[in-house]
Amino acid sequence: MLFKENTMLSFTKIIKRFIGDKAERDNSEIAPIVEQINALAPRYQAMTHDQLRESSADLKVRIKQFVASKEQEMEQLKVQVELQPNMDVHARESIYEQIDKLNKEVDVQLEEVLNEVLPEAFAIVRETAKRFKENKIVRVKALDYDRDLAAVHPHISIEGDTAIWSNTWKAAGIDVTWDMVHYDVQLIGGVALHRGKVAEMQTGEGKTLVATLPVFLNALTGKGVHLVTVNDYLSRRDSEWMGPLYQFHGLSVDCIDKHQPNSDNRRKAYRSDVTFGTNNEYGFDYLRDNMAVRPEHLVQRKLHYAIVDEVDSVLIDEARTPLIISGPTPQGDKHEFNELKPRVQLLFNAQKQVITQFLAEAKKKLDAGEGKVSKEDQAEGALALFRAYRGWPKNKALIKFLSEEGIKQQLLKVETYYMQDSQREMPKADKELFFVIDEKHNSVELTEKGIELISNNASDNDFFVIPD
């Protein structure tokens, strides 16, 4: 057996010597592109802030001109159909087939031109990140989009004809100061993502920063880029954290999770150059659009390019639960309130008791008034506070405690930690609760502990088993 294993190892080494390692082949293929990007660095470093922004505007024009003739031809065909409402069905179908064919040809041309301008676009993004890292404020000539952004973003201000961008802004309610610049490993990951491949990166290698490269490149087309995340905390945080990098160059950024379904604001978010959102919300919007009866009721536009964060969770773990928009159910008039109320009351009382204990522990450990808290007590107290918030966010005693100085910051810090890897970490925080309340989505989710409590007190042991 040992002989066979050694033989196989030797055989594998021989094969690798002739055909190479897969990772090595991929890296060697991308290496020349990284060299091109690095070679462009001196050109962009020598530019003023305004010239750097003008260079990205030039790229937009180049991309638009590359596909202009075919897009113009498509528009003419669409106008032809609109101006002739009584056109023969077969003639109309023939025109739409031509439009579909032109659409595919435009996509091919876009891929060609994006590969051509990729080194320049990546170099611009990296230089922009560097400018924000090295300068507390960046002064540029105020353009219309600067003025629009300054009206809603405190980190941007206008003084006469000058727009002043601060390198500190809010992300998920916390002040963040930009301190990142792309290294070669991020450039390699960015090229891989642009080519539609899976880029596996370890925690701390800057995968969020990697995405800014292909997102920026593909957003220059004006066709829209979707960034898919596994939970709404990450979609909101990343849209606010990475957003200024795109907005500095005139690209619009929004997050669908900030807006109600079927609302004008969500429709507008889908028409942004860069759109952040969770896989579930994208999926439900797609289902709703398939049930729309009029074109103006549609929320999404033609899909162009997407990056999926935590692809294993989104496409494997989360995808096991189908997205369903249900209609009327049989026996919908049957009510079981009186039968179920005692069990719900039992659940509520148990939760109320445990939340009171968590809140008492948080007050004791954090001791907000003294300011002399050990790291261990602070960690335990913050976790207890977070559990109280997850289990009963409207608790008056909790709300009063959160109003004390420094307490809400403790909650935000621990929330950030658990939300960053919610699939693995959040169950650890929720395991002591009977149910979790999500105010944003107006939902309540039973935990394993809650299900066990109700099942043990139910006459039917299969209380939570869905009947066939």
Side-chain angles (χ1 to χ4, degrees), residues 108-155:
V108 172
Q109 284 189 332
L110 282 174
E111 185 175 357
E112 181 183 343
V113 70
L114 288 179
N115 285 331
E116 181 184 313
V117 303
L118 183 149
E120 296 168 73
F122 279 30
I124 290 171
V125 177
R126 183 167 64 175
E127 182 60 26
T128 304
K130 186 179 178 183
R131 300 279 174 104
F132 278 125
K133 180 182 179 181
E134 295 177 351
N135 300 279
K136 289 186 177 181
I137 58 171
V138 176
R139 295 176 180 270
V140 288
K141 179 183 177 182
L143 302 177
D144 289 340
Y145 67 81
D146 291 307
R147 298 183 188 277
D148 293 339
L149 290 169
V152 292
H153 295 290
H155 68 278

Side-chain angles (χ1 to χ4, degrees), residues 329-348:
T329 58
Q331 298 183 340
D333 56 344
K334 183 180 178 181
H335 301 289
E336 300 179 342
F337 177 82
N338 292 327
E339 180 183 343
L340 298 177
K341 183 180 177 182
R343 297 171 184 172
V344 175
Q345 191 67 51
L346 173 71
L347 189 71
F348 176 78

Side-chain angles (χ1 to χ4, degrees), residues 273-293:
D273 294 311
V274 183
T275 304
F276 289 79
T278 54
N279 54 311
N280 283 343
E281 289 302 312
Y282 283 126
F284 279 122
D285 283 336
Y286 176 82
L287 294 177
R288 293 187 193 101
D289 278 359
N290 275 273
M291 297 190 297
V293 294

Side-chain angles (χ1 to χ4, degrees), residues 4-142:
K4 288 182 180 179
E5 286 181 357
N6 288 337
T7 303
M8 284 300 297
L9 287 172
S10 300
F11 181 71
T12 302
K13 288 179 181 178
I14 293 170
I15 292 295
K16 283 187 176 182
R17 185 175 300 174
F18 281 99
I19 65 173
D21 182 80
K22 177 66 167 63
E24 290 177 0
R25 292 201 307 274
D26 289 342
N27 286 335
S28 63
E29 184 183 344
I30 296 175
I33 301 174
V34 174
E35 290 175 5
Q36 291 179 48
I37 299 168
N38 290 330
L40 289 168
R43 182 210 297 183
Y44 293 108
Q45 288 170 5
M47 290 183 179
T48 64
H49 301 322
D50 287 311
Q51 289 171 337
L52 184 63
R53 302 214 296 182
E54 289 169 5
S55 64
S56 65
D58 291 340
L59 286 185
K60 290 182 191 177
V61 174
R62 283 170 56 187
I63 294 168
K64 189 173 182 179
Q65 289 177 342
F66 198 84
V67 297
S69 61
K70 291 195 180 294
E71 292 205 323
Q72 187 177 359
E73 191 177 344
M74 275 196 297
E75 288 303 317
Q76 289 172 349
L77 289 172
K78 290 176 183 177
V79 170
Q80 185 179 340
V81 173
E82 292 171 1
L83 293 177
Q84 301 181 52
N86 298 321
M87 182 185 293
D88 177 72
V89 173
H90 297 292
R92 184 186 295 268
E93 185 177 345
S94 175
I95 290 176
Y96 279 122
E97 286 177 357
Q98 292 179 56
I99 292 173
D100 289 340
K101 182 181 178 183
L102 286 168
N103 253 321
K104 291 178 181 177
E105 290 175 0
V106 167
D107 288 340
V108 172
Q109 284 189 332
L110 282 174
E111 185 175 357
E112 181 183 343
V113 70
L114 288 179
N115 285 331
E116 181 184 313
V117 303
L118 183 149
E120 296 168 73
F122 279 30
I124 290 171
V125 177
R126 183 167 64 175
E127 182 60 26
T128 304
K130 186 179 178 183
R131 300 279 174 104
F132 278 125
K133 180 182 179 181
E134 295 177 351
N135 300 279
K136 289 186 177 181
I137 58 171
V138 176
R139 295 176 180 270
V140 288
K141 179 183 177 182

